[in-house]
Structure formats: structure tokens, C-alpha cells
Amino acid sequence: HSSSKSLSPTRVFIPRLWENGACNVAHKNIREQGRFLQDVFTTLVDLKWPHTLLIFTMSFLCSWLLFGMVWWLIAFGAAGPAAGFVPCVTSIHSFTSAFLFSIEVQVTIGFGGRMVTEECPAAILVLIVQNIVGLVINAIMLGCIFMKTSQAHRRAETLIFSKHAVIALREGRLCFMLRVGDLRKSMIISATIRMQVVKKTASLEGEVVPLNQIDIQMENPVGGNSIFLVSPLIIYHVIDKNSPLYDISPMNLHHHEDLEIIVILEGVVETTGITTQARTSYLADEILWGQRFVPIVAEEDGRYSVDYSKFGNTVKVPTPSCTARQLEEDRSIMDTMPLSPKGTIRKRSVKLKPKFTISEEPS
């Protein structure tokens, strides 16, 4: 899942790797198509809904027709003299009645007019085989439908990211920051977040890597990559000498810059136990230099309230217009910058400790 981002016409020069949370990579000329049939269940789950419903319907129809033909052959192949003859299956007079009997056997619906007698062992064997085949088809197709209706990316729709990322000073160091939040009250258990920088690189030998992926170290208020997403968090990455953003300056943040930062949030859905993953990405012109996210969590009536209408809002803050390398080599740049006044902390007028419940404030 990714927040909606309008694409400017000039962005075609730098295609996005992650488009609305989906990988923007097309696979062509796959010659070994048979590998997909080795994992039929995953292939069925990955199909689009019209194709899945078509296969679901045709699997039952084909099995009913196939066994209807078998029952028709058994009923008319074992015909004998009229006097004292007991048919293998009663009340089958045509292929239509054999087809109806096939449906009754497989879906365990008995209307009382047609039944298998004990005269033909072959009919009893076919009855057993059809029941087993019907159970297998039910297990596969119903399991496939269940997996498609409960896929993890549905839960990811309520995991949101800020439309823009920002670069600003934090504790005297340039930091890349973004905001992530969860709209549902049900928790994401064991949530982790990680980031990668994707850009085109070339080795010393002249080898060009079009999508070179570089992990970057994340920091958050909890520490490490694990987060407790009870309220929206500002996740940040300190741009130091080990960062691939070490030489990024405001002049590099334009749509011609070959740079994309991918953010991946993973966790276990509390209600279902299914692992979910939400993804987004930021191109160079979606990173705002010298901006900071506005606070959206406030204390109201003894509890914490989150105003999601300000989720992506930012304000300008004093930030040097140089790279992190230049700032580290020349700390005197900080002396020429005006410092923003520190916010004062207002004491609560109530003594009751606020309950940590999140509610959405009306905009």
C-alpha cells in the first residue's frame, strides 16, 4: 500500500520501482512456464478474481459432467433382461438424469429418486472415487477463495505513509524523516520497518547495475527496526558517512535525479495472525529539504488524540543547504544559522493519567 502520488509528465525519465505499493517490474520472455504449475495453489491465489471464479466454476462443472458420463455408461452398459433385473443405479433413463445423479453424489444432496444398488461393485467404486475427487476440489477451491478474501495486503490499506519525506536537522545532524501511521485500533504485532535506496550505479569495471539496492540504517523512538505503532511515528535515518545520502544536497532533489527510497513496513495482524506488508517509495522530488512534520498527537480530556488531517503537513525549519559531508567537515556552518525556538511544555491541568487510546479528531 502506498499513499497516492501524482506523477508529473517529466517523471518518465526515472521510472518508479514501487507504484502504489506494487512492484513496477514487468517479467518478460519466461520460457519455463511449467514451474508455475508445480505450485498450483499459489498460482490460483495469484490469479485475478475473474479467472479464479472461472476456474472455480469450471472445475465443478467438468467433474459433474465427467462422472455423469461414467454413471450413464454404468446404467446403460449393465442392462439385462426385464424380468428380475436390478439396475446398478435406479431411476436413470437418460444422460440428463445421470448428470443430475452425479451432482447429487458430489454435493451430497439426495432427492430420493436415484440411488446406487449393491448389484454392481463398479458403481460402488465410482461412488467412492467421485466423493474423494469432490472433497479434493472443495478443499482446493474453497481454500483458494478464502486466501484471496483474506490476503494480507487488505490490512495494509490502513497502514499509511506521509506523501512526502523530509530532510532536516535533528540533534545537530541531517536526518531523512518520514511519518507512518495505522488507522485501525487493532494492533500490528512485531512491526518492523526498513528502508533501501535504489539507484543506478556503475562498478569500476564498467558494469552497470540499473537497480542497485542499498540498505540504510533506521532509527525510531523505540530503537532498532522494531516499532510500536500505537500512534503515528516519525521514522528517521541519520545521514552520516555510512549513509548513501551522504552527498545529497538540495540541488539533487529534482525529478532528473536517479534516486528512489523504498520503505517497507512488516508485521503480524493481531486479529488474523497473518503477516502483512505495506510499501511505499519516495523519488528525489518527493523529498522536501528543510521541512519538519507538524505534531498531530495532543492530550484531550484525559486521553491522547490523533489529528490525521495534519498527517502529512510540514513546516519550514532552518536547515543548511549543504550535504551531510560538508556539514561534518565544517561545523561552523551551524553558527551562521538561526535556531528555531524550543517549544515550551505545558503542564496538564488534570491529575488523571491519560489512557493511551487513539481517536480520530474530526477535521
Side-chain angles (χ1 to χ4, degrees):
H1 171 72
S2 171
S3 55
S4 58
K5 299 174 182 177
S6 59
L7 301 180
S8 59
T10 55
R11 189 167 289 173
V12 296
F13 299 106
I14 308 297
R16 184 190 295 275
L17 180 59
W18 289 102
E19 185 87 34
N20 295 325
C23 186
N24 190 24
V25 176
H27 300 274
K28 297 182 178 180
N29 300 325
I30 301 178
R31 298 181 180 180
E32 299 182 6
Q33 297 287 347
R35 291 181 177 269
F36 294 99
L37 297 179
Q38 296 177 5
D39 187 6
V40 178
F41 185 77
T42 304
T43 303
L44 291 175
V45 174
D46 290 340
L47 290 175
K48 295 181 179 180
W49 268 108
H51 298 158
T52 301
L53 294 178
L54 178 62
I55 294 175
F56 180 86
T57 304
M58 293 304 299
S59 62
F60 285 104
L61 285 178
C62 291
S63 64
W64 294 340
L65 288 171
L66 174 63
F67 283 99
M69 180 67 69
V70 174
W71 288 119
W72 183 75
L73 292 175
I74 290 178
F76 289 91
F85 171 72
V86 179
C88 296
V89 184
T90 61
S91 301
I92 290 185
H93 309 291
S94 63
F95 178 76
T96 303
S97 58
F99 178 71
L100 290 175
F101 180 70
S102 175
I103 297 177
E104 293 175 15
V105 169
Q106 192 159 326
V107 299
T108 63
I109 297 177
F111 295 109
R114 288 171 286 269
M115 59 177 292
V116 177
T117 64
E118 58 185 15
E119 298 298 321
C120 299
I124 299 175
L125 179 62
V126 172
L127 180 67
I128 296 173
V129 171
Q130 183 172 4
N131 274 278
I132 295 175
V133 172
L135 289 174
V136 172
I137 294 177
N138 283 334
I140 294 176
M141 298 311 303
L142 294 180
C144 176
I145 296 297
F146 172 77
M147 290 300 297
K148 287 187 70 67
T149 54
S150 61
Q151 283 186 357
H153 69 269
R154 303 298 181 187
R155 178 60 176 89
E157 295 292 333
T158 52
L159 298 174
I160 59 175
F161 300 89
S162 56
K163 184 177 180 180
H164 294 91
V166 299
I167 293 180
L169 288 174
R170 175 173 281 193
E171 302 296 336
R173 298 178 297 179
L174 284 175
C175 296
F176 173 88
M177 292 175 281
L178 62 102
R179 177 174 274 164
V180 60
D182 186 4
L183 298 179
R184 290 188 182 272
K185 289 188 177 181
S186 59
M187 297 293 298
I188 295 293
I189 304 172
S190 303
T192 59
I193 192 166
R194 55 192 176 94
M195 290 199 309
Q196 286 185 337
V197 172
V198 179
K199 60 187 306 183
K200 182 185 294 185
T201 59
S203 64
L204 297 176
E205 295 77 15
E207 179 186 6
V208 177
V209 182
L211 296 175
N212 187 28
Q213 303 177 33
I214 307 172
D215 286 325
I216 58 179
Q217 182 63 37
M218 293 295 304
E219 297 189 33
N220 59 68
V222 181
N225 288 341
S226 298
I227 60 176
F228 185 46
L229 203 56
V230 68
S231 66
L233 296 177
I234 297 178
I235 311 299
Y236 69 97
H237 158 68
V238 178
I239 306 177
D240 54 17
K241 60 181 179 180
N242 298 320
S243 171
L245 307 178
Y246 196 44
D247 294 313
I248 292 293
S249 68
M251 282 68 72
N252 301 117
L253 301 182
H254 51 77
H255 59 266
H256 293 290
E257 180 70 18
D258 184 13
L259 173 69
E260 182 175 2
I261 299 179
I262 298 174
V263 184
I264 301 175
L265 171 63
E266 286 184 323
V268 178
V269 181
E270 182 182 27
T271 54
T272 62
I274 300 176
T275 302
T276 186
Q277 185 181 93
R279 302 176 293 264
T280 191
S281 67
Y282 300 96
L283 295 182
D285 58 345
E286 294 171 340
I287 303 173
L288 307 178
W289 191 279
Q291 301 275 345
R292 180 186 299 161
F293 292 106
V294 300
I296 61 174
V297 179
E299 297 177 19
E300 293 182 359
D301 301 327
R303 64 177 181 176
Y304 293 100
S305 176
V306 180
D307 185 3
Y308 281 97
S309 66
K310 302 177 182 178
F311 183 82
N313 292 3
T314 61
V315 293
K316 288 186 177 182
V317 292
T319 306
S321 298
C322 63
T323 65
R325 181 191 297 274
Q326 295 171 338
L327 182 62
E328 184 176 346
E329 294 175 352
D330 186 8
R331 297 297 298 180
S332 62
I333 299 177
M334 297 288 297
D335 300 333
T336 62
M337 291 178 46
L339 297 178
S340 57
K342 295 183 179 180
T344 58
I345 301 177
R346 182 176 61 87
K347 294 183 179 180
R348 299 194 301 268
S349 58
V350 293
K351 296 182 180 180
L352 178 64
K353 185 177 180 180
K355 297 180 181 179
F356 214 91
T357 57
I358 306 301
S359 63
E360 184 173 351
E361 182 183 89
S363 55

